[in-house]
Every structure is written in structure tokens, then in C-alpha cells.
Amino acid sequence: MKKSLTFITVLFVVIMASGCSGTWQGAKKDTTDNAEWSKDKVNDGAEYIEKKTD
């Protein structure tokens, strides 16, 4: 039972790794874009609050 569970887990990881290897560049780009989007939203919020408090 334990050997089959280990085999299935290893097989799953190998399949996921091979499927994700082609999209790794896309995942890195999305992460970078998300960080920039978050910075823009924080800056927009700060500008909005600054205008409302002046």
C-alpha cells in the first residue's frame, strides 16, 4: 500500500513538473505583473486619500 501511494505521488509530481515546465516563463511574468499591479493600486489609493484629506 505504501509503495503504491509513493509511486502515485511521484508520478503526479513528475506529470505536474513536465506540464508546468513549458509555462514557467509565463508564471514568472504573471508574478512580476501582479507585483507591479499591486504597487500601482497602492499608489492610486494613496493619491486618492491625499486628495480627500487636503
Side-chain angles (χ1 to χ4, degrees):
M1 176 68 180
K2 187 171 181 172
K3 285 185 179 183
S4 63
L5 183 60
T6 303
F7 176 75
I8 291 171
T9 304
V10 169
L11 184 64
F12 178 75
V13 169
V14 168
I15 290 171
M16 291 302 292
S18 65
C20 294
S21 65
T23 60
W24 179 244
Q25 293 299 323
K28 288 189 336 188
K29 184 179 183 313
D30 289 344
T31 303
T32 302
D33 291 348
N34 191 22
E36 288 301 317
W37 182 86
S38 297
K39 288 178 189 175
D40 291 342
K41 290 298 176 186
V42 168
N43 288 334
D44 291 346
E47 289 174 4
Y48 175 79
I49 291 173
E50 184 180 11
K51 287 178 186 175
K52 289 294 183 180
T53 56
D54 284 342

